[in-house]
Amino acid sequence: MKQGTTYRRTQYLVAKRFQLKYAGMILLLVSLTAVMCSYVIYYTMMLTMGDKLANVYPQGRLISIVNMVNFRILLSMLLVSPIVVMIGIYASHKIAGPIYRIEKFLGSMADGDLSRPLTLRRNDELMNLAGGINKVVDSIKVIVKKEKSAIDSISTSMENLRRLGAAKPVNNAALEHALDKLNEEVSVLRGEVEKYKI
């Protein structure tokens, strides 16, 4: 990241499907945990205190108390659910935001734009991946510069060959030397390209 440059995202749902799925998984996990804990506490309390409460409260009153407790547990879960979803979206944003930027960067890289490095916000996840992508881009830049230089050199050698071929009388030694130089430049270019397995 360039110094002095900060990126602030104003849109928290950048990868809606991923983020909503992530928030849904968190909500499901929290809900299951809450239901299990509530049930265990509720069931244990009813086993322990059920007989005592039955002696204190009339049957109808005890059932209404049990229903009220059930309703409050359900209501508290419904009130907590939106908070859990918001936390899930915010937490997933630290992953979805970088994934979105990486996808855009790779798209521009595929189009041939190697001019800028991939930058993420300081607290984003996937910083190591972004660093690895930037190393790959840097190595590709070096190779592309070498290949452009080799192409320029080959173009110059071809122009020299044209001039030598057009000259009367043809200087065979100079022509042979220019061909050898062109062959060397093609070999350098071939060596750069043969590094890649395709």
Side-chain angles (χ1 to χ4, degrees):
M1 184 186 293
K2 294 176 187 173
Q3 290 185 356
T5 305
T6 57
Y7 293 96
R8 290 194 95 160
R9 270 189 205 100
T10 55
Q11 183 181 358
Y12 281 91
L13 278 173
V14 291
K16 289 180 185 174
R17 187 171 178 217
F18 169 77
Q19 287 182 272
L20 292 176
K21 181 179 175 184
Y22 187 80
M25 288 185 344
I26 291 174
L27 178 63
L28 180 65
L29 181 65
V30 168
S31 298
L32 287 175
T33 304
V35 166
M36 287 173 52
C37 290
S38 298
Y39 179 75
V40 167
I41 291 169
Y42 181 66
Y43 184 74
T44 305
M45 186 183 81
M46 289 307 287
L47 281 179
T48 306
M49 301 183 69
D51 292 337
K52 293 177 184 173
L53 290 174
N55 291 333
V56 174
Y57 292 104
Q59 188 69 22
R61 178 76 177 131
L62 185 58
I63 290 174
S64 70
I65 290 172
V66 168
N67 287 338
M68 184 180 69
V69 169
N70 286 336
F71 176 74
R72 286 194 176 171
I73 290 171
L74 181 64
L75 183 65
S76 64
M77 287 179 58
L78 289 175
L79 291 174
V80 168
S81 294
I83 296 169
V84 170
V85 168
M86 295 301 286
I87 291 170
I89 288 172
Y90 179 76
S92 67
H93 180 66
K94 296 281 187 190
I95 299 169
I99 289 173
Y100 177 75
R101 284 192 64 83
I102 289 169
E103 284 175 352
K104 282 184 72 175
F105 179 82
L106 291 176
S108 66
M109 188 176 151
D111 291 337
D113 183 7
L114 304 175
S115 59
R116 283 179 274 171
L118 172 62
T119 55
L120 300 179
R121 294 174 303 164
R122 191 179 329 145
N123 295 324
D124 277 343
E125 298 295 329
L126 307 177
M127 291 296 276
N128 290 341
L129 178 61
I133 290 171
N134 283 330
K135 283 182 185 175
V136 169
V137 170
D138 288 343
S139 68
I140 290 172
K141 281 181 185 179
V142 168
I143 291 166
V144 168
K145 283 178 184 175
K146 284 181 183 177
E147 289 175 355
K148 282 183 176 183
S149 175
I151 289 169
D152 289 343
S153 185
I154 288 171
S155 295
T156 303
S157 293
M158 287 176 66
E159 191 58 41
N160 287 339
L161 280 172
R162 271 196 203 97
R163 260 188 288 116
L164 289 171
K168 300 291 182 201
V170 174
N171 183 343
N172 287 336
L175 190 62
E176 189 68 34
H177 178 69
L179 282 170
D180 287 343
K181 185 165 174 49
L182 181 63
N183 195 30
E184 285 175 26
E185 289 158 357
V186 168
S187 295
V188 168
L189 187 58
R190 184 175 288 122
E192 288 295 322
V193 173
E194 285 179 354
K195 291 178 183 176
Y196 298 100
K197 296 176 184 175
I198 53 172

